[in-house]
Amino acid sequence: MSKNCRFAVAVHIAAVLALSGDEPATSEWIAGSVNTNPVVIRRLLSALSKAGLVRSLRGSAGGSLLARPPERITLLDIARAVEEDEGPALHHQPPNPACPVGRGIQPVLVRVIDRAEAAREAVLGTTLLSEVVTQIRAEAMG
Amino acid sequence: MSKNCRFAVAVHIAAVLALSGDEPATSEWIAGSVNTNPVVIRRLLSALSKAGLVRSLRGSAGGSLLARPPERITLLDIARAVEEDEGPALHHQPPNPACPVGRGIQPVLVRVIDRAEAAREAVLGTTLLSEVVTQIRAEAMG
DNA sequence: GCGAAACGTAATCTCATCAGTTACAGTTTA
DNA sequence: TAAACTGTAACTGATGAGATTACGTTTCGC
């Protein structure tokens, strides 16, 4: 696969927590399901926690829990929590203002890229974690 | 700015070609407007050319032209031409099939990421290069 | 023809980002 | 107090992109 597994792994984490219910899941256990290192999981849990989606209990018998029921968490919540928020991807160097295109293009690009991104987020914003968990269960059975 | 300027620079290139009309624009001239190296422009022109959006004339007095009028080029055409097409970003390592989540999550993720991406592309697909050029002109005047 | 001007592309450099890993300090429970 | 966690910092290796240099090829004007 390519890059930025963060979203995929964060959804995976959230699904595991949703299925764990009240039982705190340890980063090591989640890492076993994702098939990666526990620190990678803890880093993402930290981001999810800062976004208020997850609660973590420290100390022995600790672990993580969803902070609210999966019916009230959207994939957009998760994406916003773990993806770097760096405006639209424009030119590295500012374009040449002596050229009409160089002078006028950036605001136009920002508008259109923002509109496209809003459309993508609209889909994620209407997809609930609970729905994803239901589908995962169906896939795992089939 | 962050990453993947390719789309932004490719739209910039297309806008310059649209404003040049019948006059071939050299990679050096375009590079002056974008404020980068001519080889960077030629690489993107090569991708646009493979997608049939641009024609290049070699030799002295050469340069590049749009292959069709800007009313018949969408930003999605440009995005598809210059962006690597690497399916949705999933796990690096396949998840653990011994866990129900690990076993079932990937097809679910593929479906939702593809739906979100399709929504983004729908916006780009309805935005014409000619509209972008009109807006750039308005910005450059204001 | 010849040379200048341009494209097309390969090779290299640098830089940023990311996943993975080790290490360790702080926290909680039994 | 010991064991089992979390929370970070620091380092490594891989990957990808933009910038640059270099060179072969094509074409026009003289």
PDB file of all heavy atoms in Angstrom, chain A residues 71-85:
ATOM      1  N   GLU A  71     -22.252   4.938  17.889  1.00  0.00           N
ATOM      2  CA  GLU A  71     -23.291   5.589  17.082  1.00  0.00           C
ATOM      3  C   GLU A  71     -23.066   7.098  17.053  1.00  0.00           C
ATOM      4  O   GLU A  71     -23.707   7.805  16.288  1.00  0.00           O
ATOM      5  CB  GLU A  71     -24.693   5.332  17.669  1.00  0.00           C
ATOM      6  CG  GLU A  71     -25.116   3.881  17.652  1.00  0.00           C
ATOM      7  CD  GLU A  71     -24.532   3.121  18.830  1.00  0.00           C
ATOM      8  OE1 GLU A  71     -24.162   3.753  19.853  1.00  0.00           O
ATOM      9  OE2 GLU A  71     -24.401   1.878  18.723  1.00  0.00           O
ATOM     10  N   ARG A  72     -22.204   7.583  17.916  1.00  0.00           N
ATOM     11  CA  ARG A  72     -21.999   9.026  17.970  1.00  0.00           C
ATOM     12  C   ARG A  72     -20.571   9.392  17.573  1.00  0.00           C
ATOM     13  O   ARG A  72     -20.065  10.460  17.925  1.00  0.00           O
ATOM     14  CB  ARG A  72     -22.341   9.558  19.371  1.00  0.00           C
ATOM     15  CG  ARG A  72     -23.868   9.497  19.615  1.00  0.00           C
ATOM     16  CD  ARG A  72     -24.273  10.061  20.965  1.00  0.00           C
ATOM     17  NE  ARG A  72     -23.499  11.240  21.331  1.00  0.00           N
ATOM     18  CZ  ARG A  72     -22.978  11.452  22.551  1.00  0.00           C
ATOM     19  NH1 ARG A  72     -23.142  10.553  23.498  1.00  0.00           N
ATOM     20  NH2 ARG A  72     -22.304  12.541  22.798  1.00  0.00           N
ATOM     21  N   ILE A  73     -19.914   8.512  16.837  1.00  0.00           N
ATOM     22  CA  ILE A  73     -18.582   8.809  16.302  1.00  0.00           C
ATOM     23  C   ILE A  73     -18.619   8.598  14.793  1.00  0.00           C
ATOM     24  O   ILE A  73     -19.013   7.520  14.335  1.00  0.00           O
ATOM     25  CB  ILE A  73     -17.514   7.891  16.932  1.00  0.00           C
ATOM     26  CG1 ILE A  73     -17.411   8.158  18.439  1.00  0.00           C
ATOM     27  CG2 ILE A  73     -16.161   8.088  16.249  1.00  0.00           C
ATOM     28  CD1 ILE A  73     -16.405   7.281  19.149  1.00  0.00           C
ATOM     29  N   THR A  74     -18.238   9.613  14.036  1.00  0.00           N
ATOM     30  CA  THR A  74     -18.191   9.460  12.577  1.00  0.00           C
ATOM     31  C   THR A  74     -16.754   9.229  12.135  1.00  0.00           C
ATOM     32  O   THR A  74     -15.791   9.534  12.858  1.00  0.00           O
ATOM     33  CB  THR A  74     -18.725  10.708  11.857  1.00  0.00           C
ATOM     34  OG1 THR A  74     -17.787  11.773  12.025  1.00  0.00           O
ATOM     35  CG2 THR A  74     -20.080  11.139  12.397  1.00  0.00           C
ATOM     36  N   LEU A  75     -16.605   8.728  10.913  1.00  0.00           N
ATOM     37  CA  LEU A  75     -15.252   8.549  10.391  1.00  0.00           C
ATOM     38  C   LEU A  75     -14.574   9.895  10.173  1.00  0.00           C
ATOM     39  O   LEU A  75     -13.345   9.986  10.178  1.00  0.00           O
ATOM     40  CB  LEU A  75     -15.293   7.745   9.088  1.00  0.00           C
ATOM     41  CG  LEU A  75     -15.802   6.319   9.205  1.00  0.00           C
ATOM     42  CD1 LEU A  75     -15.358   5.495   7.997  1.00  0.00           C
ATOM     43  CD2 LEU A  75     -15.313   5.656  10.489  1.00  0.00           C
ATOM     44  N   LEU A  76     -15.369  10.943  10.004  1.00  0.00           N
ATOM     45  CA  LEU A  76     -14.765  12.270   9.885  1.00  0.00           C
ATOM     46  C   LEU A  76     -14.135  12.690  11.208  1.00  0.00           C
ATOM     47  O   LEU A  76     -13.054  13.289  11.224  1.00  0.00           O
ATOM     48  CB  LEU A  76     -15.814  13.297   9.447  1.00  0.00           C
ATOM     49  CG  LEU A  76     -15.325  14.732   9.296  1.00  0.00           C
ATOM     50  CD1 LEU A  76     -14.153  14.818   8.333  1.00  0.00           C
ATOM     51  CD2 LEU A  76     -16.457  15.639   8.850  1.00  0.00           C
ATOM     52  N   ASP A  77     -14.798  12.367  12.322  1.00  0.00           N
ATOM     53  CA  ASP A  77     -14.189  12.642  13.630  1.00  0.00           C
ATOM     54  C   ASP A  77     -12.808  11.990  13.703  1.00  0.00           C
ATOM     55  O   ASP A  77     -11.831  12.605  14.146  1.00  0.00           O
ATOM     56  CB  ASP A  77     -15.061  12.065  14.752  1.00  0.00           C
ATOM     57  CG  ASP A  77     -16.418  12.768  14.862  1.00  0.00           C
ATOM     58  OD1 ASP A  77     -16.479  13.972  14.557  1.00  0.00           O
ATOM     59  OD2 ASP A  77     -17.399  12.101  15.246  1.00  0.00           O
ATOM     60  N   ILE A  78     -12.746  10.745  13.260  1.00  0.00           N
ATOM     61  CA  ILE A  78     -11.489  10.006  13.338  1.00  0.00           C
ATOM     62  C   ILE A  78     -10.459  10.597  12.392  1.00  0.00           C
ATOM     63  O   ILE A  78      -9.294  10.801  12.754  1.00  0.00           O
ATOM     64  CB  ILE A  78     -11.732   8.521  13.026  1.00  0.00           C
ATOM     65  CG1 ILE A  78     -12.664   7.920  14.107  1.00  0.00           C
ATOM     66  CG2 ILE A  78     -10.429   7.748  12.962  1.00  0.00           C
ATOM     67  CD1 ILE A  78     -13.056   6.477  13.859  1.00  0.00           C
ATOM     68  N   ALA A  79     -10.875  10.906  11.164  1.00  0.00           N
ATOM     69  CA  ALA A  79      -9.938  11.463  10.189  1.00  0.00           C
ATOM     70  C   ALA A  79      -9.367  12.793  10.695  1.00  0.00           C
ATOM     71  O   ALA A  79      -8.157  13.020  10.631  1.00  0.00           O
ATOM     72  CB  ALA A  79     -10.639  11.669   8.840  1.00  0.00           C
ATOM     73  N   ARG A  80     -10.225  13.659  11.213  1.00  0.00           N
ATOM     74  CA  ARG A  80      -9.761  14.952  11.709  1.00  0.00           C
ATOM     75  C   ARG A  80      -8.800  14.773  12.863  1.00  0.00           C
ATOM     76  O   ARG A  80      -7.880  15.573  13.052  1.00  0.00           O
ATOM     77  CB  ARG A  80     -10.974  15.787  12.173  1.00  0.00           C
ATOM     78  CG  ARG A  80     -11.814  16.305  11.020  1.00  0.00           C
ATOM     79  CD  ARG A  80     -11.984  17.828  11.126  1.00  0.00           C
ATOM     80  NE  ARG A  80     -12.615  18.386   9.933  1.00  0.00           N
ATOM     81  CZ  ARG A  80     -13.911  18.678   9.851  1.00  0.00           C
ATOM     82  NH1 ARG A  80     -14.706  18.446  10.882  1.00  0.00           N
ATOM     83  NH2 ARG A  80     -14.395  19.204   8.742  1.00  0.00           N
ATOM     84  N   ALA A  81      -9.005  13.715  13.651  1.00  0.00           N
ATOM     85  CA  ALA A  81      -8.160  13.516  14.831  1.00  0.00           C
ATOM     86  C   ALA A  81      -6.747  13.096  14.454  1.00  0.00           C
ATOM     87  O   ALA A  81      -5.788  13.491  15.109  1.00  0.00           O
ATOM     88  CB  ALA A  81      -8.788  12.465  15.750  1.00  0.00           C
ATOM     89  N   VAL A  82      -6.617  12.315  13.401  1.00  0.00           N
ATOM     90  CA  VAL A  82      -5.308  11.702  13.142  1.00  0.00           C
ATOM     91  C   VAL A  82      -4.608  12.213  11.887  1.00  0.00           C
ATOM     92  O   VAL A  82      -3.446  11.883  11.663  1.00  0.00           O
ATOM     93  CB  VAL A  82      -5.400  10.167  13.056  1.00  0.00           C
ATOM     94  CG1 VAL A  82      -5.960   9.588  14.340  1.00  0.00           C
ATOM     95  CG2 VAL A  82      -6.208   9.727  11.861  1.00  0.00           C
ATOM     96  N   GLU A  83      -5.311  13.003  11.060  1.00  0.00           N
ATOM     97  CA  GLU A  83      -4.649  13.502   9.859  1.00  0.00           C
ATOM     98  C   GLU A  83      -4.120  14.902  10.103  1.00  0.00           C
ATOM     99  O   GLU A  83      -4.803  15.743  10.681  1.00  0.00           O
ATOM    100  CB  GLU A  83      -5.620  13.497   8.665  1.00  0.00           C
ATOM    101  CG  GLU A  83      -5.782  12.115   8.066  1.00  0.00           C
ATOM    102  CD  GLU A  83      -6.874  12.076   7.006  1.00  0.00           C
ATOM    103  OE1 GLU A  83      -7.463  13.122   6.705  1.00  0.00           O
ATOM    104  OE2 GLU A  83      -7.133  10.969   6.485  1.00  0.00           O
ATOM    105  N   GLU A  84      -2.907  15.130   9.638  1.00  0.00           N
ATOM    106  CA  GLU A  84      -2.339  16.467   9.717  1.00  0.00           C
ATOM    107  C   GLU A  84      -3.263  17.416   8.981  1.00  0.00           C
ATOM    108  O   GLU A  84      -3.689  17.145   7.869  1.00  0.00           O
ATOM    109  CB  GLU A  84      -0.958  16.503   9.054  1.00  0.00           C
ATOM    110  CG  GLU A  84      -0.001  15.465   9.547  1.00  0.00           C
ATOM    111  CD  GLU A  84       0.388  15.698  10.999  1.00  0.00           C
ATOM    112  OE1 GLU A  84       0.207  16.829  11.470  1.00  0.00           O
ATOM    113  OE2 GLU A  84       0.839  14.746  11.651  1.00  0.00           O
ATOM    114  N   ASP A  85      -3.549  18.551   9.582  1.00  0.00           N
ATOM    115  CA  ASP A  85      -4.408  19.514   8.922  1.00  0.00           C
ATOM    116  C   ASP A  85      -3.557  20.628   8.332  1.00  0.00           C
ATOM    117  O   ASP A  85      -3.246  21.611   8.968  1.00  0.00           O
ATOM    118  CB  ASP A  85      -5.418  20.089   9.904  1.00  0.00           C
ATOM    119  CG  ASP A  85      -6.432  20.959   9.183  1.00  0.00           C
ATOM    120  OD1 ASP A  85      -6.523  20.822   7.956  1.00  0.00           O
ATOM    121  OD2 ASP A  85      -7.112  21.749   9.851  1.00  0.00           O
TER     122      ASP A  85
END
